[in-house]
Amino acid sequence: MRVYEIKVVTSHPLIVYFTDAEQMQRLILSIYMLLCSALTLVAQNITGRVVDSESGEPIAWANVYYDGMPVGTNSNTQGRFSLPRHEGKTLIVSFMGYEKQTFKVQGAQGVQGDEFVVRLKWSPQELKTAVVKAKKKKYSRKNNPAVELMKKVIKAKKQTDIHRHPYFSYNLYKKLTFSFNDVSDKSLKEGLLKKMPFLQNHVEVCSETGKRILPITFQETTSRQIWRKSPATEKTIITGKREDGLNKFFTTGEILNSILADCFTDVDIFDDNVRLLRHQFISPISAKNAISFYRYFIQDTVYVGDDKCIEVTFTPNNPQDFGFSGSLFIMADSTYRVRQSKLLIPHSSDVNFVEQLNVNQEFRHLPSGDQVLESNKMTVQLSAIMDMARMQVQLTNSFTNYSLEAIADKEFRFGGTEITDPNAGLRNEQFWADMRTDSLTKAEAEMPQMVKEFQQMKHFNVAMFVFKAFVENYVETSSDPKKPSLIDIGPVNTIFSHNFVDGFRLRASAQTTANLNPHLFAKGYVAYGFKDHRVKGMGELTYAFKKRAYSASEFPLNNLSVSGQTDVMSPSDKFLPTDKDNVFTSFKVTTVDQMMYFAKVGVKYQREWANGFGFDVQMQRERDEGVAALFYQKLNGSRMPSANTDDHLRYFNTTDVRLGLSYSPGAKYVNTKQRRILVNNEAPIFTLSHTMGVKMLGGEHNYNFTELSAYKRVWLPSAWGRMDFYLKAGAQWNKVPYPLLIMPAANLSYVVHKGTFCMVNNMEFLNDRYASLMINWDINGKIFNRIPLLRKLKWREVMGVNALWGTLTDKNNPALHPNDSELYYFPGHFNREGQYEYSSFLMERKKPYVEVYAGVYNIFKILQVQAVRRLNYLYLPDTKKWGWRVKLELTF
């Protein structure tokens, strides 16, 4: 075994597995991976351990990679590593503060057998004439030349920041490719893939990893980016856009590319925090936290192109924290500019499914003195889930034509931050050839042919028909791509459900698509309860003033809708963010027998703009009928209501007009057949609404209800996760019976639902003034990562508090006005002795309701379990101190 002194710049690629984080998006991405679940890795690996040559202690996070090939990995906490064997290549093992070692992978030379031990020798580091001799191996920031150098780099970055100019613009070319990884000849000749011999013609070797890949989708866009300082404005003008691949078989195929783009975002190390994989990573040159979060080591003086640079390697203090490791190449002059960066996510980090990720960035110096990004290449290799195929994501960005010239104000005058040229999707091949800095690979260029070959397979359309029903929750009525579906059947998860009144319930639902009419849409359902033997249903007709691609809910809305519905529900069901008869919400933590039949008709207009502002106006007529334990009875001076149903009102009738305003700057959505999904939860959301009830068109009550809400996500420093704040407040201004009072947003199912209270019963509190605050703290493993056993499990912590303050003014308090026929008896139950026991109560003016919860998620990388504790109002009947909720989600 020989030791060489290496003075070259090497690549340290990493492997990553992506599975998508907010529930439906994560599910859809993982389902795409099922398309080739038969792919398996059949390759010979080199395995070994990296240890300290003196102490024999394992060295975690050591870099193990091939010279001249971007194929590598990091040792784990026990110093072990494994990577593909490439005969005849030179393997390099290195770590900060140790001498590099190289081995020839060839027969008995260097590496003998499949497992070996690498002993690295501790070595002092050098910078110019400064010699640092470490008496101890404990890392220290004091008098550390690497730390002092990085402080200068961080301080100097403002002097070369292009944002100091009044204007700038540049052209951006971006390509995103999604592939199956580690594709072997054997896997292509077994199982389902045996019937797809044409796939062998589309397998190629990835230039970044040296592995065989099968690209299945790719997307490329070109855009002009413009920026001005005053007023601070940044806009994107998309000039070209195209995509191809298996996502074309899905009506909601844009979801895959949208999710990938949202998870694998552009990395800007000049920002203090880098958003990647839907987490925030601290930049290695962050002005706020970098010095305290990372350990820096000076490695060598090297050349990047013709520029002499100082190579500085870095790694997080705790390898399982969400941070990068890698190398920065700093100009060896007085400017301290970053010439090149190579970022990795350590294999031992707490990031799920990420085997290896590397980001290689090149920067260049403009004549104006600014340091700007010239190229960005991200390669992410994703691990397998439940023996499914490994995946790979590649993102390539090229930045050209930087300009500091003034930009006319009219170019910024469009709503939102992004606009697409009407001809962006019509660009010819010559346009793309001119815009690309690198040509497409053979497999990317031949992807349209692969799509045609899939379509020509026997029974392929039938198989896709069934598969899409599972993925999209809807069944298309046509499996012929030449005759797209005019009507979709679904949602599938509402076909079967159960509740106290319906008993077992069947529902058939359908909706039209833009293939029938791009402006006019219809949807509805018919349901039947086998316990009450009643038919329910809904119908809605929507006119979209803007032409739609598939569904009426596409952003931004400009829709006019007319609807009618007759069904059964509990008062708390209106707070659920999903369908009330979703099969998963049918399972309740308690018996919910206070329900109502309702029949309503309404007309609604919704308008949204790309800048995030929106409004809606609605007029609705509703008739409610109490059923099971719910009834309506006016006060008559008696202490309790009558058990005689003849004394109960059969119907409760209202007519109201509602105006709602919303503002969510920076919000981005993807469309599904059922609804649209917000993909960036960092966007704040503000809403304000007012509902006015009138005694007309059958309405029997005058009332005014005002409500406002605000949502904001905050990322905490030093990788302490994120906190979501959700504030709501409202007031019912008039004297009204209890159905028009304000009840808590109670969640009576076992499933975690954002914005709801877990331990409050149905209509437990009735108020006419309220305010609620919900705080969710996702600690993201920061604590568990420091506990050995939990660190191995990669579990993550979450905790939070839900608080509700409410009051009922005297005018709406039945106890103070026992003979006021405008007020109703509060809800309750008659016991076996015929006595009435109230189930709705008043809150103490100075005593908010509070519940707290603590949970663990990332259990088996998919399960979240929360324990919920109710802290007060425990003296009320039918209350519970403890409860639990679950949630299934895939997250990085």
Side-chain angles (χ1 to χ4, degrees):
M1 183 180 298
R2 299 179 61 187
V3 178
Y4 293 85
E5 182 180 1
I6 309 297
K7 291 188 177 182
V8 296
V9 183
T10 57
S11 301
H12 301 50
L14 230 88
I15 307 176
V16 165
Y17 183 89
F18 168 78
T19 323
D20 190 77
E22 307 292 62
Q23 305 166 350
M24 184 173 181
Q25 306 166 28
R26 301 185 182 104
L27 174 64
I28 290 174
L29 181 59
S30 59
I31 296 248
Y32 269 87
M33 296 164 56
L34 285 168
L35 286 171
C36 200
S37 59
L39 292 178
T40 57
L41 172 63
V42 181
Q44 186 180 11
N45 285 354
I46 293 178
T47 59
R49 294 180 65 226
V50 184
V51 300
D52 185 288
S53 62
E54 297 180 4
S55 66
E57 292 291 323
I59 298 176
W61 336 307
N63 300 311
V64 185
Y65 56 95
Y66 286 100
D67 187 19
M69 293 179 62
V71 178
T73 188
N74 292 98
S75 59
N76 62 19
T77 53
Q78 287 78 43
R80 296 190 179 278
F81 66 87
S82 177
L83 76 170
R85 181 186 183 94
H86 290 277
E87 199 73 18
K89 299 296 183 179
T90 299
L91 187 69
I92 300 176
V93 183
S94 67
F95 187 65
M96 291 80 66
Y98 289 84
E99 292 181 356
K100 296 180 181 178
Q101 291 202 34
T102 63
F103 306 90
K104 193 74 170 180
V105 182
Q106 184 174 353
Q109 299 178 10
V111 181
Q112 298 182 11
D114 286 334
E115 185 169 287
F116 62 101
V117 177
V118 180
R119 294 177 173 82
L120 296 184
K121 182 179 179 182
W122 176 257
S123 174
Q125 309 300 314
E126 298 182 1
L127 173 61
K128 295 184 179 178
T129 59
V131 178
V132 181
K133 295 184 178 180
K135 295 181 179 180
K136 297 182 179 180
K137 299 177 184 179
K138 184 177 180 180
Y139 182 84
S140 174
R141 295 180 179 85
K142 186 177 181 180
N143 299 322
N144 187 327
V147 172
E148 295 305 314
L149 174 62
M150 290 309 302
K151 287 180 178 179
K152 294 178 181 179
V153 172
I154 292 170
K155 183 178 180 180
K157 69 178 184 178
K158 292 183 178 179
Q159 302 171 6
T160 59
D161 187 356
I162 196 172
H163 293 86
R164 60 197 173 100
H165 298 284
Y167 299 92
F168 70 82
S169 65
Y170 60 90
N171 293 338
L172 172 62
Y173 169 79
K174 180 181 293 188
K175 183 177 72 172
L176 183 68
T177 305
F178 192 45
S179 310
F180 290 106
N181 197 18
D182 284 343
V183 180
S184 66
D185 288 332
K186 182 179 179 181
S187 65
L188 293 173
K189 298 176 181 179
E190 295 179 343
L192 294 176
L193 300 186
K194 182 171 61 175
K195 300 179 180 180
M196 308 177 193
F198 59 86
L199 289 180
Q200 300 182 39
N201 300 325
H202 301 282
V203 175
E204 61 186 12
V205 176
C206 176
S207 61
E208 298 298 315
T209 65
K211 296 182 179 180
R212 287 160 51 90
I213 62 172
L214 175 63
I216 58 172
T217 74
F218 88 96
Q219 180 187 62
E220 53 183 348
T221 59
T222 61
S223 60
R224 182 168 179 254
Q225 309 289 319
I226 58 177
W227 183 91
R228 67 181 174 189
K229 180 179 289 187
S230 182
T233 313
E234 185 173 6
K235 301 278 189 175
T236 298
I237 304 169
I238 296 178
T239 55
K241 186 174 183 178
R242 62 175 296 208
E243 62 180 49
D244 216 326
L246 297 186
N247 56 329
K248 280 193 169 185
F249 293 124
F250 294 85
T251 305
T252 54
E254 66 169 25
I255 293 180
L256 178 61
N257 286 330
S258 298
I259 292 173
L260 292 175
D262 184 62
C263 292
F264 303 102
T265 50
D266 298 335
V267 173
D268 186 353
I269 63 172
F270 289 93
D271 288 337
D272 289 332
N273 294 295
V274 176
R275 184 178 182 272
L276 182 64
L277 304 173
R278 289 184 171 168
H279 294 285
Q280 280 208 355
F281 292 75
I282 295 175
S283 167
I285 58 173
S286 168
K288 296 179 179 179
N289 305 303
I291 299 300
S292 61
F293 184 81
Y294 287 104
R295 297 182 178 187
Y296 298 96
F297 302 87
I298 294 172
Q299 291 296 325
D300 211 340
T301 301
V302 298
Y303 279 88
V304 179
D306 296 329
D307 297 318
K308 187 178 181 180
C309 299
I310 301 167
E311 180 184 2
V312 178
T313 56
F314 57 91
T315 191
N317 287 316
N318 187 322
Q320 285 194 293
D321 282 346
F322 280 73
F324 297 107
S325 65
S327 300
L328 296 174
F329 297 84
I330 313 301
M331 294 291 292
D333 56 26
S334 60
T335 64
Y336 300 106
R337 291 182 284 113
V338 177
R339 175 64 176 82
Q340 185 183 66
S341 69
K342 296 185 177 183
L343 309 178
L344 315 169
I345 292 182
H347 182 72
S348 54
S349 75
D350 199 32
V351 180
N352 275 337
F353 314 119
V354 172
E355 287 184 349
Q356 198 160 358
L357 177 150
N358 70 296
V359 182
N360 293 332
Q361 297 183 317
E362 298 279 348
F363 299 86
R364 70 185 181 97
H365 197 56
L366 298 181
S368 58
D370 304 296
Q371 194 77 352
V372 296
L373 189 59
E374 184 175 36
S375 67
N376 175 87
K377 178 165 282 190
M378 179 189 301
T379 303
V380 186
Q381 298 185 51
L382 309 177
S383 61
I385 304 179
M386 297 179 294
D387 296 326
M388 292 191 298
R390 285 177 165 83
M391 311 299 295
Q392 177 176 284
V393 178
Q394 286 182 290
L395 175 65
T396 302
N397 292 352
S398 299
F399 305 78
T400 58
N401 298 333
Y402 281 93
S403 172
L404 301 178
E405 295 182 1
I407 303 171
D409 289 345
K410 65 180 182 180
E411 294 199 48
F412 294 92
R413 290 175 185 163
F414 60 86
T417 60
E418 183 179 285
I419 190 172
T420 301
D421 188 296
N423 296 318
L426 305 175
R427 304 300 186 184
N428 58 28
E429 287 299 327
Q430 187 59 48
F431 170 87
W432 290 107
D434 294 339
M435 297 304 298
R436 297 183 189 115
T437 54
D438 289 320
S439 60
L440 296 179
T441 66
K442 181 177 181 293
E444 290 170 344
E446 295 179 354
M447 200 166 292
Q449 176 61 30
M450 182 181 70
V451 171
K452 292 180 181 179
E453 291 168 337
F454 269 111
Q455 292 174 328
Q456 294 169 359
M457 289 180 56
K458 187 178 181 180
H459 306 310
F460 175 78
N461 289 336
V462 176
M464 289 302 301
F465 178 83
V466 176
F467 187 74
K468 289 164 68 174
F470 178 68
V471 173
E472 300 176 325
N473 203 24
Y474 275 81
V475 176
E476 296 183 358
T477 54
S478 173
S479 59
D480 186 351
K482 297 181 180 179
K483 297 179 181 179
S485 178
L486 305 181
I487 300 175
D488 292 343
I489 308 299
V492 174
N493 61 10
T494 62
I495 295 176
F496 308 104
S497 62
H498 180 275
N499 63 62
F500 186 85
V501 174
D502 277 317
F504 178 69
R505 172 184 170 109
L506 284 178
R507 170 175 152 173
S509 314
Q511 65 181 21
T512 66
T513 74
N515 298 318
L516 182 63
N517 190 303
H519 292 282
L520 192 62
F521 297 86
K523 69 177 181 179
Y525 68 81
V526 176
Y528 181 77
F530 285 81
K531 181 179 178 181
D532 66 351
H533 303 290
R534 289 181 63 160
V535 177
K536 296 89 176 173
M538 186 275 289
E540 181 179 274
L541 190 65
T542 298
Y543 183 80
F545 292 92
K546 183 179 179 181
K547 185 178 180 180
R548 296 303 179 187
Y550 197 86
S551 70
S553 62
E554 295 167 11
F555 180 83
L557 297 175
N558 186 7
N559 297 349
L560 177 65
S561 301
V562 179
S563 63
Q565 184 178 17
T566 175
D567 210 330
V568 64
M569 64 180 289
S570 74
S572 297
D573 284 342
K574 64 182 179 181
F575 300 110
L576 294 177
T578 184
D579 297 295
K580 66 179 181 60
D581 52 356
N582 183 312
V583 64
F584 301 107
T585 61
S586 297
F587 301 97
K588 305 294 186 183
V589 297
T590 187
T591 300
V592 182
D593 58 358
Q594 292 172 321
M595 302 186 70
M596 63 185 186
Y597 291 116
F598 66 92
K600 60 184 178 182
V601 293
V603 58
K604 184 176 185 178
Y605 176 70
Q606 297 171 281
R607 184 74 168 94
E608 293 177 331
W609 287 267
N611 60 7
F613 179 76
F615 80 90
D616 65 87
V617 59
Q618 172 182 288
M619 185 172 185
Q620 180 174 280
R621 166 75 169 89
E622 182 170 348
R623 185 190 70 188
D624 299 336
E625 177 186 357
V627 64
L630 186 66
F631 63 89
Y632 310 120
Q633 183 178 342
K634 296 181 178 181
L635 298 180
N636 58 15
S638 175
R639 186 181 64 85
M640 66 177 64
S642 170
N644 186 350
T645 57
D646 293 337
D647 297 328
H648 301 168
L649 299 175
R650 182 173 183 182
Y651 299 119
F652 183 80
N653 298 293
T654 58
T655 300
D656 58 44
V657 178
R658 179 187 182 276
L659 173 64
L661 305 174
S662 63
Y663 182 57
S664 183
K668 295 181 180 180
Y669 301 90
V670 293
N671 299 306
T672 71
K673 291 182 177 181
Q674 189 169 1
R675 59 177 60 90
R676 65 188 188 186
I677 301 171
L678 181 68
V679 296
N680 59 329
N681 287 297
E682 284 75 12
I685 303 174
F686 306 96
T687 67
L688 174 65
S689 66
H690 182 79
T691 304
M692 180 177 67
V694 294
K695 291 183 177 181
M696 58 181 296
L697 300 177
E700 300 171 346
H701 306 277
N702 290 322
Y703 53 91
N704 288 273
F705 173 52
T706 304
E707 190 171 42
L708 60 87
S709 70
Y711 163 84
K712 185 68 176 75
R713 171 169 289 181
V714 176
W715 288 90
L716 303 181
S718 300
W720 275 98
R722 63 176 184 257
M723 299 184 76
D724 292 338
F725 296 86
Y726 189 31
L727 175 66
K728 294 184 71 177
Q732 174 62 262
W733 304 104
N734 297 76
K735 179 193 289 188
V736 293
Y738 83 81
L740 295 172
L741 293 177
I742 306 168
M743 67 186 70
N747 173 19
L748 303 176
S749 74
Y750 288 97
V751 181
V752 174
H753 287 299
K754 292 181 180 179
T756 60
F757 293 92
C758 294
M759 302 303 295
V760 174
N761 290 321
N762 186 29
M763 298 186 294
E764 182 174 350
F765 301 113
L766 294 176
N767 306 300
D768 56 14
R769 307 284 191 276
Y770 91 99
S772 67
L773 176 63
M774 298 182 175
I775 303 175
N776 180 81
W777 184 12
D778 184 346
I779 307 176
N780 209 22
K782 184 71 172 182
I783 299 174
F784 286 178
N785 286 347
R786 285 151 178 80
I787 303 173
L789 176 60
L790 297 180
R791 182 173 59 208
K792 289 184 178 181
L793 295 173
K794 291 192 175 183
W795 287 358
R796 301 175 189 170
E797 330 80 326
V798 63
M799 62 179 62
V801 57
N802 299 327
L804 171 69
W805 172 87
T807 186
L808 188 69
T809 57
D810 291 347
K811 67 177 179 289
N812 282 317
N813 190 341
L816 302 179
H817 309 280
N819 295 300
D820 191 338
S821 61
E822 290 188 51
L823 303 180
Y824 292 2
Y825 287 99
F826 273 12
H829 297 81
F830 288 97
N831 61 26
R832 294 181 179 180
E833 289 74 30
Q835 298 296 312
Y836 190 71
E837 298 176 347
Y838 286 99
S839 59
S840 295
F841 308 94
L842 305 185
M843 298 187 69
E844 299 178 33
R845 187 179 295 270
K846 296 183 179 181
K847 182 180 179 181
Y849 166 85
V850 181
E851 65 183 29
V852 296
Y853 60 88
V856 177
Y857 72 101
N858 207 39
I859 302 172
F860 308 118
K861 298 185 179 181
I862 194 172
L863 177 65
Q864 178 179 159
V865 178
Q866 291 183 4
V868 191
R869 176 66 158 84
R870 176 169 172 156
L871 298 184
N872 53 9
Y873 291 99
L874 295 170
Y875 57 84
L876 296 178
D878 299 322
T879 59
K880 297 179 181 179
K881 283 186 179 181
W882 290 95
W884 57 275
R885 298 293 184 271
V886 297
K887 183 180 181 180
L888 295 177
E889 64 176 350
L890 291 171
T891 179
F892 281 108

